Amino acid sequence: MTVVRDPADLDLSEFLRPGDHLVIGQACGEPPTLVESLVRQGAGIGGLTVFIATSFSGSFTPAATAGLRMRSMGAIGALRGLTASHVLEVIACHVGRIGPMLESGALRCDCAFVQVAPADRHGNHSLGLVSDHVAAAVRAARVVVAEINEQVPWTYGESIPGSEIDYAVEVSRPPVTVAPTRIGPVDEAIARHAAAFIGDGAVVQTGIGAVPDALLRMLSDRVDLGVHSGMIGDGLVDLVEAGAITNARKRIDTGVSVTGALIGTRRLYDFADRNPAIRMCPATYTHDAAVLARLDDLVSINSAVEVDLTGQVNAEQHGTAYLGGTGGQVDFVRGAARARGGHAIIALPATAKGGTVSRISAALSGPVTTARSETDIVVTEFGAAELAGRTLAERARRLTAIAHPDFREDLERAAAEITKRGF
């Protein structure tokens, strides 16, 4: 039986034990009332370990998390501040593996903090803004605490029966929102090169940020685009209203945009509310290789910190600075490359740090997120390098050609060494 608690008098020690591991709904599905209570009371309970995949609320600052052991799959959103202060432990994993790791116990979950919409007439709570691994956390947890927020949209897809909620906190407050990023000339140039690979009927996967936002703005003249993505933002609404997104040509999930997370503004949330053309699915579906392979003309667009001259992609770390994460990049790179007519695009600016560092590099400064054997197309503001089926020497030449001109001379020398060796 569900116990309802007043958010003003919530005492987490009623259900949390010292040493517990918590899994918290991520991104715009983060339950803000529960998180605020955790920040105030967590250190007093003692020994709590918190896993959250991404966070945009701003609640998890280095000062606020003192006394908590914070873990994530990467430094995405506000979590970057935790890595900069060395108070975030990174678990290297693909998005599609989080759910299975929760269910197997490899990723421990004693308590799940989730945000849901009010129950429907059958007593089921829509997961609202984020699906991904929420249901897996609920199944794995000893205790499930749900923030039932009447301002969360009711979305089609996964839901939680009210009987699975142990403690409920009923609120009415705006969920976390993420405003569109300011788009600059470099973002527009990158997006223009990427858009050339997206034709009528293509199925698009992209993230959030300036380049994805710029790209979506360039697709309003396309016909019968589809969407199958780990996350979608406000750009989806623009393309549906323009008539560009219909999902009509998808072999599976025809007529439906599939995603695991809605990350945007109230405009997106209102559009998704009770909209059968949007379906929220777990990451075991959105990122599944067999599912992605059935999506003809799937085009994935993912970002990176840097790419080396053989095509190795680092989307995580530059030197001692942890900037990103493994995320779903590898899942979609593999899926799009194997889909009939598909393309996997890695899109990044040619330089960083005010133009002083080339992001096309002779050697990576951090880990390999996507192996060179998986890399298909790399795009910067200077063009697109198609790498599939090319020798390492040819890859080096093509990648040098899309680097910033200020760095091409050094890269050409490194490329010449690859040509001389053959590898």
Side-chain angles (χ1 to χ4, degrees), residues 54 94 208:
T54 64
H94 304 307
I208 57 171

Side-chain angles (χ1 to χ4, degrees), residues 71-402:
R71 292 178 174 176
S72 180
M73 65 176 182
I76 302 171
L79 297 181
R80 187 173 292 184
L82 299 187
T83 60
S85 298
H86 308 294
V87 293
L88 184 73
E89 299 176 358
V90 175
I91 298 174
C93 63
H94 304 307
V95 169
R97 289 292 304 152
I98 296 176
M101 287 193 301
L102 286 166
E103 294 184 328
S104 71
L107 184 58
R108 180 176 159 187
C109 178
D110 299 304
C111 179
F113 277 9
V114 301
Q115 176 182 252
V116 297
D120 62 15
R121 60 190 179 90
H122 301 293
N124 297 319
H125 295 268
S126 163
L127 293 182
L129 296 171
V130 171
S131 183
D132 53 54
H133 53 272
V134 173
V138 167
R139 289 190 293 268
R142 180 191 74 244
V143 58
V144 176
V145 187
E147 183 165 334
I148 303 174
N149 189 347
E150 68 174 10
Q151 295 190 41
V152 167
W154 194 96
T155 53
Y156 287 86
E158 286 194 305
S159 61
I160 300 175
S163 59
E164 294 187 6
I165 296 173
D166 299 301
Y167 291 84
V169 178
E170 297 175 346
V171 302
S172 179
R173 58 184 294 179
V176 174
T177 58
V178 177
T181 308
R182 181 181 175 276
I183 297 171
V186 170
D187 306 310
E188 290 183 336
I190 295 169
R192 193 173 301 111
H193 292 301
F197 294 93
I198 303 174
D200 293 343
V203 179
V204 179
Q205 175 268 322
T206 188
I208 57 171
V211 171
D213 287 350
L215 173 65
L216 293 177
R217 292 183 185 182
M218 295 177 182
L219 302 180
S220 60
D221 62 343
R222 303 301 198 272
V223 176
D224 289 335
L225 291 177
V227 174
H228 184 108
S229 187
M231 62 184 70
I232 55 177
D234 285 31
L236 170 87
V237 185
D238 295 329
L239 289 181
V240 171
E241 292 180 344
I245 290 177
T246 66
N247 292 289
R249 301 190 194 180
K250 288 168 72 177
R251 282 201 293 147
I252 58 173
D253 303 315
T254 308
V256 178
S257 292
V258 169
T259 188
L262 300 173
I263 300 179
T265 68
R266 191 73 235 182
R267 179 176 181 235
L268 173 66
Y269 305 164
D270 290 343
F271 180 80
D273 188 36
R274 301 189 182 277
N275 186 345
I278 296 177
R279 184 181 305 144
M280 306 297 293
C281 295
T284 48
Y285 186 82
T286 57
H287 292 67
D288 182 73
V291 172
L292 297 177
R294 297 174 63 193
L295 293 166
D296 295 346
D297 301 312
L298 173 63
V299 181
S300 72
I301 301 96
N302 288 279
S303 61
V305 174
E306 60 182 342
V307 178
D308 78 7
L309 288 179
T310 70
Q312 296 185 121
V313 180
N314 167 17
E316 302 170 61
Q317 181 177 338
H318 180 75
T320 59
Y322 201 91
L323 307 171
T326 48
Q329 180 177 120
V330 175
D331 296 321
F332 277 102
V333 166
R334 288 175 175 169
R338 286 157 178 75
R340 185 170 60 189
H343 295 294
I345 298 171
I346 299 296
L348 72 167
T351 62
K353 296 186 177 180
T356 62
V357 175
S358 177
R359 295 175 71 166
I360 303 296
S361 59
L364 297 184
S365 65
V368 176
T369 306
T370 296
R372 62 191 186 185
S373 55
E374 304 279 3
T375 309
D376 182 17
I377 299 167
V378 177
V379 170
T380 72
E381 65 268 36
F382 295 102
E386 298 183 55
L387 306 182
R390 305 297 172 178
T391 66
L392 296 180
E394 180 61 24
R395 285 174 169 229
R397 289 191 290 271
R398 290 185 175 210
L399 287 163
T400 297
I402 65 168

